[in-house]
């Protein structure tokens, strides 16, 4: 049985698509994309007035399983991804145990088989992500990890980072670093600046990130490995990366939607849902990142989806967990604030949130091409909605965007030719 | 007569009018403290709970006494900070306070924003007795009261706060309050103990104490915590005393009109020499007395929302 998506407005300039197209799906593949495909008894989905793009790839997601199933499971995290318009996520290794060995990776792969979206494992750089002894990187590579990261923690020891990069180069895996000098960040809970001063909260200086970005760039240059900077958040980091790229260093970076939309002022009410690593930065940092977005300088957008329980985020700001549940708000926020306003267009979004992550992780990302895997989303640009964390598929309701009114929402997600999410008429349904 | 707010969490969003209202009320309260029978029935039947998550002697004692002077039923609960993580959450404590019928909960906590969290989760009035480095409004008000009592008008006065500004809720609350009343506030201390961008709060920043002391009317000296030295924020107590300690020589230089304050507890011989603490310019013991009056005023204005002014007589 073939499915025909009629009359949608398709964006995928890489495949020469921009305008009204019909898309025909057979099995898990795209059978045809043409100006008009005649109905020959297909199952029809009318996408009149809707936008169709390849479903996004989030290369920075915490699925929490195994070990922290109270925060998220592979199942719920992937449902959240499907709802958010993603066909794939890369899962960070900071589970319990850490994904520093094939057993944990195999467990994740097994759990992912039945999940709503595809999951690409990331292995840890060091054993137990302690930054001391290298993980069995070669074995991890064989097991199918797509990148290495100790995310959640930096690799503080420069010698270990150097050796990790050198060693990993044999396996062609990118190294993703969570850049934070822990001696500088210490027990900080928000960005250091005027707001941390008046709120009386311990600050994390921008320098804590920038110093590690600088170090990693130097080491990447020395070892020749592909370095990917996770959740870059400051002007200084951006300048360092730009400069390194100009020199030809193999470095890429990602920015999260929350660092493009919120500043340290959001911590004002001591709302623990604004507590995140790296912290929400200054107005200037945010503006500089938005300028970079506009100028096409950002490589990757990623959520750093970090779900936590209600209790993890309850009470005093100092004691709350770091992290934002981001999969179900990313696309809506990016569309409403940056695409609708003309700062970027759909193809820019695809470059940062589909093609580049696909390229970095070396995973299938051919777009809406005949014969490629049928991963796409159908977006309703007219749909008005309010971020309601209680409707999240994710167990993590920890969003600082609760109550935000947006226009434009993902309504259907197809993964591998199968509709996995349907929100037409507000159904908000995951389909297996 | 009452405040148009349920809670009193800091001076950041309090108007000059409200501050003056509290200071005026405190004058009447201080009068009560000078009588032979130092007690009025104003808050009879009201319940005040002192919830102290941080060790405190004088603030807790001051609040206790203030509540008793007004005839409120007062209870004090002390919790060690270490029991917070594993023990009862602040939310559950708040709910317990609620069902126990508290009218005012006074909270001291090491986490900034803890008082606000409590206030958001309880219908009783919450009075912040210090939350981390964020705010300590009753201390600031008693400081302002003490200045006003001695020097008359706040507007135009030059007030210098010396020491560990970064970790000080007293400094922050004083800056908000004094600025609102038109004082010129400056801070002085090692740059490691001056929080970033504090000048945006409307203060001058000095790292040279002697320069900062030129033409000051009031010097408020903060306690220096020994653990700051251990965490590398300044090299030694000896050097701190030398460069930032308030000594007789410096007192001499600023003259007889200047006023010396310290929120206590003092490290005599470190941030303040005994000869300074006990000098005629010092109002340190008067501050303690004024603290009771200010806390009575706030308890009255928060708990006694429906009580008539007459009851103070």
């Amino acid at each position: 049985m073939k499915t025909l998506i009629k009359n949608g407005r398709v964006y995928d300039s890489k495949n020469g698509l921009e305008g009204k197209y019909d898309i025909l799906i057979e099995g898990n593949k795209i059978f045809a994309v043409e100006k008009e495909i005649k109905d020959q008894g297909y199952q029809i989905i009318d996408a009149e007035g809707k936008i169709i793009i390849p479903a996004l790839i989030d290369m920075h997601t915490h699925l929490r399983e195994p070990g922290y199933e109270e925060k998220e499971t592979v199942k719920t995290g992937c449902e959240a991804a499907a709802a958010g318009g993603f066909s794939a996520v890369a899962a960070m290794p900071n589970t319990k145990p850490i994904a520093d060995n094939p057993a944990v990776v195999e467990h994740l792969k097994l759990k992912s088989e039945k999940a709503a979206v595809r999951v690409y494992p990331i292995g840890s750089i060091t054993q137990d992500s302690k930054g001391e002894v290298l993980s069995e990187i070669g074995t991890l590579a064989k097991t199918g990890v797509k990148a290495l990261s100790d995310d959640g923690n930096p690799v503080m020891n420069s010698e270990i980072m150097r050796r990790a990069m050198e060693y990993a180069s044999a396996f062609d895996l990118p190294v993703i670093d969570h850049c934070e000098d822990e001696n500088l960040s210490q027990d900080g809970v928000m960005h250091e600046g005027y707001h941390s001063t008046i709120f009386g909260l311990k600050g994390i200086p921008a320098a804590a990130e920038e110093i590690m970005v600088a170090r990693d760039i130097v080491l990447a240059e020395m070892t020749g490995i592909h370095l990917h900077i996770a959740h870059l958040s400051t002007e200084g980091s951006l300048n360092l990366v730009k400069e390194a790229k100009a020199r030809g260093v193999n470095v890429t970076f990602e920015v999260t939607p929350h660092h493009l939309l919120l500043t340290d002022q959001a911590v004002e009410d001591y709302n623990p849902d604004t507590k995140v690593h790296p912290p929400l930065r200054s107005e200037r940092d945010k503006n500089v990142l938005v300028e970079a977005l506009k100028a096409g300088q950002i490589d990757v957008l990623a959520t750093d989806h970090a779900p936590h329980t209600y209790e993890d985020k309850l009470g005093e700001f100092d004691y709350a967990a770091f992290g934002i549940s981001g999969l179900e708000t990313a696309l809506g926020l990016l569309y409403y604030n940056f695409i609708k306003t003309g700062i970027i267009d759909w193809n820019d979004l695809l470059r940062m949130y589909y093609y580049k992550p696909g390229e970095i992780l070396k995973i299938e990302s051919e777009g809406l091409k005949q014969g490629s895997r049928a991963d796409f989303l159908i977006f309703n640009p007219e749909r008005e909605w309010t971020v309601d964390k209680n409707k999240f598929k994710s167990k993590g309701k920890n969003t600082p965007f609760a109550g935000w009114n947006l226009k434009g929402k993902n309504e259907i997600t197809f993964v591998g030719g199968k509709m996995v999410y349907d929100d037409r008429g507000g159904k908000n349904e995951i389909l297996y | 007569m009452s405040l148009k707010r349920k809670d009193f969490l800091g001076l950041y969003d309090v108007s000059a009018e409200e501050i003056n209202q509290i200071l005026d009320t405190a004058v009447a309260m201080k009068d009560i403290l000078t009588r032979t029978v130092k007690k009025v029935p104003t808050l009879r039947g009201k319940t005040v709970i002192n919830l102290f998550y941080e060790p405190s002697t004088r603030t807790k004692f001051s609040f206790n006494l203030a509540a008793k002077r007004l005839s409120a039923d007062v209870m004090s609960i002390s919790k060690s900070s270490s029991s917070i993580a594993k023990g009862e959450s602040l939310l559950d404590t708040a709910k317990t306070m609620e069902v126990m019928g508290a009218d005012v909960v006074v909270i001291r906590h090491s986490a900034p924003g803890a008082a606000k969290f409590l206030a958001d989760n309880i219908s009783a009035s919450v009075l912040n007795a210090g939350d981390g480095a964020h705010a300590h409004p009753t201390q600031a008000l008693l400081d302002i009261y003490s200045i006003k009592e001695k020097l008359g008008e706040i507007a135009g006065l030059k007030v210098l706060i010396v020491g560990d500004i970064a970790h000080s809720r007293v400094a922050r609350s004083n800056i908000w309050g004094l600025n609102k009343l038109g004082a010129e506030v400056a801070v002085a201390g090692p740059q490691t103990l001056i929080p970033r961008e504090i000048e945006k709060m409307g203060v001058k920043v000095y790292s040279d104490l002697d320069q900062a002391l030129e033409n000051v009317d009031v010097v408020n000296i903060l306690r220096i915590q020994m653990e700051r030295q251990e965490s590398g924020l300044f090299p030694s107590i000896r050097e701190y005393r030398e460069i930032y300690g308030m000594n007789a020589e410096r007192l001499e230089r600023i003259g007889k009109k200047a006023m010396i304050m310290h929120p206590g507890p003092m490290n005599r011989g470190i941030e303040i020499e005994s000869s300074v603490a006990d000098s005629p310019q010092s109002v340190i013991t008067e501050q303690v007395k004024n603290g009771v009056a200010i806390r009575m005023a706030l308890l009255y204005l928060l708990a006694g929302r429906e009580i008539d002014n007459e009851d103070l007589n």
Side-chain angles (χ1 to χ4, degrees), chain A residues 186 191-202 205 268-270 310 314-319, chain B residues 12 84 89-91 109-114 116-117 131 133-134 172 176 195-198 200-201:
Chain A
Q186 284 192 27
H191 175 66
E192 183 177 300
Y194 174 66
H195 290 101
S196 66
T197 291
I198 66 170
F199 305 154
L201 290 166
K202 178 94 168 62
E268 191 167 38
D269 292 330
Y270 297 94
Y310 171 72
L314 178 68
E316 299 89 331
F317 195 87
D318 273 353
Y319 311 143
Chain B
Y12 167 76
I84 296 168
S89 75
L90 186 53
L91 178 67
H109 200 294
S110 60
K116 183 181 186 307
F117 176 77
D131 60 333
H134 174 230
R172 285 172 178 78
W176 291 125
R196 289 173 75 91
E197 301 185 41
I198 193 169
K200 286 192 189 162
M201 286 177 80

Side-chain angles (χ1 to χ4, degrees), chain B:
Chain B
M1 189 171 153
S2 69
L3 288 170
K4 286 182 186 65
R5 53 176 75 236
K6 175 175 95 67
D7 310 296
F8 202 79
L9 306 178
L11 298 184
Y12 167 76
D13 60 349
V14 174
S15 67
E17 290 70 35
E18 283 174 288
I19 293 174
N20 283 321
Q21 184 192 0
I22 298 160
L23 297 176
D24 291 345
T25 309
V27 174
M29 295 301 172
K30 194 167 179 187
D31 177 58
I32 293 167
L33 296 175
T34 58
R35 297 178 191 167
T36 36
V37 178
K38 300 178 178 61
K39 194 168 177 127
V40 288
T42 316
L43 294 188
R44 200 164 47 196
K46 297 282 179 184
T47 304
V48 175
I49 296 181
N50 291 326
L51 188 56
F52 277 67
Y53 281 92
E54 238 185 18
S56 152
T57 316
R58 64 178 64 208
T59 306
K60 190 162 73 179
F61 182 71
S62 181
F63 269 108
N64 252 323
L65 196 61
K68 286 182 172 161
R69 295 287 189 234
L70 293 168
S71 302
D73 295 322
V74 57
M75 281 172 291
S76 291
I77 302 164
S78 297
K79 294 202 168 204
S80 70
S81 294
S82 62
S83 74
I84 296 168
K86 50 191 166 179
E88 194 181 31
S89 75
L90 186 53
L91 178 67
D92 290 321
T93 308
K95 290 185 168 168
T96 309
M97 304 292 106
E98 187 89 348
V99 297
M100 282 181 179
D103 296 290
V104 180
V105 178
V106 176
I107 181 172
R108 159 70 63 95
H109 200 294
S110 60
K116 183 181 186 307
F117 176 77
L118 186 68
D120 288 344
N121 285 286
I122 191 169
S123 62
S125 291
V126 173
L127 184 42
N128 188 2
D131 60 333
H134 174 230
H136 193 356
T138 59
Q139 178 69 45
L141 287 169
L142 77 87
D143 291 345
I144 292 168
Y145 184 96
S146 305
I147 298 170
K148 207 176 166 187
E149 193 176 51
K150 185 148 186 203
L151 302 179
E153 197 54 48
I154 300 290
L157 287 181
K158 289 190 163 67
V159 181
L160 175 69
I161 307 170
V162 182
D164 182 1
I165 312 299
H167 301 89
S168 176
R169 51 192 171 219
V170 176
R172 285 172 178 78
S173 287
N174 262 286
I175 293 167
W176 291 125
L178 288 164
N179 272 342
K180 283 183 183 179
L181 298 182
E184 276 179 47
V185 188
V187 297
Q191 280 301 301
T192 46
L193 295 176
I194 306 282
R196 289 173 75 91
E197 301 185 41
I198 193 169
E199 58 285 351
K200 286 192 189 162
M201 286 177 80
V203 296
K204 269 196 185 156
V205 178
Y206 292 93
S207 44
D208 180 341
L209 178 60
D210 292 308
Q211 198 189 338
L213 285 171
E214 283 170 23
N215 300 317
V216 290
D217 298 300
V218 179
V219 186
N220 197 346
I221 301 147
L222 303 174
R223 177 182 171 82
I224 187 78
Q225 306 275 0
M226 302 305 160
E227 58 263 32
R228 307 292 174 225
Q229 188 251 330
E230 286 151 27
S231 52
L233 293 170
F234 62 94
S236 69
I237 293 293
R238 189 177 72 142
E239 180 158 311
Y240 186 87
R241 180 199 298 126
E242 187 69 23
I243 302 181
Y244 297 103
M246 196 64 197
N247 54 32
E249 190 200 322
R250 288 185 165 123
L251 182 68
E252 175 75 27
R253 216 174 314 133
I254 61 174
K256 292 218 158 54
K257 278 193 302 183
M259 197 178 144
I260 298 292
M261 307 176 79
H262 192 298
M266 287 184 279
N267 293 304
R268 283 176 178 263
I270 298 175
E271 73 265 6
I272 185 165
E273 250 176 30
S274 280
S275 62
V276 176
D278 304 329
S279 66
Q281 289 103 310
S282 164
V283 296
I284 295 167
T285 48
E286 200 59 25
Q287 281 176 270
V288 178
K289 195 172 191 180
N290 293 338
V292 180
I294 281 288
R295 283 157 188 140
M296 285 170 76
L298 274 166
L299 288 173
Y300 165 69
L301 292 169
L302 289 173
R305 278 183 270 187
E306 70 280 18
I307 297 170
D308 202 88
N309 224 358
E310 305 288 299
D311 289 353
L312 285 177
N313 298 323

Side-chain angles (χ1 to χ4, degrees), chain A residues 39 58 87 121 197 211 257 267 270 291 304 313 376 379 392 421:
Chain A
D39 177 13
D58 194 76
S87 64
T197 291
I211 280 172
V267 180
Y270 297 94
E291 279 307 309
D304 189 9
K313 285 286 196 180
F376 58 88
F379 187 88
F392 279 9
Y421 179 68

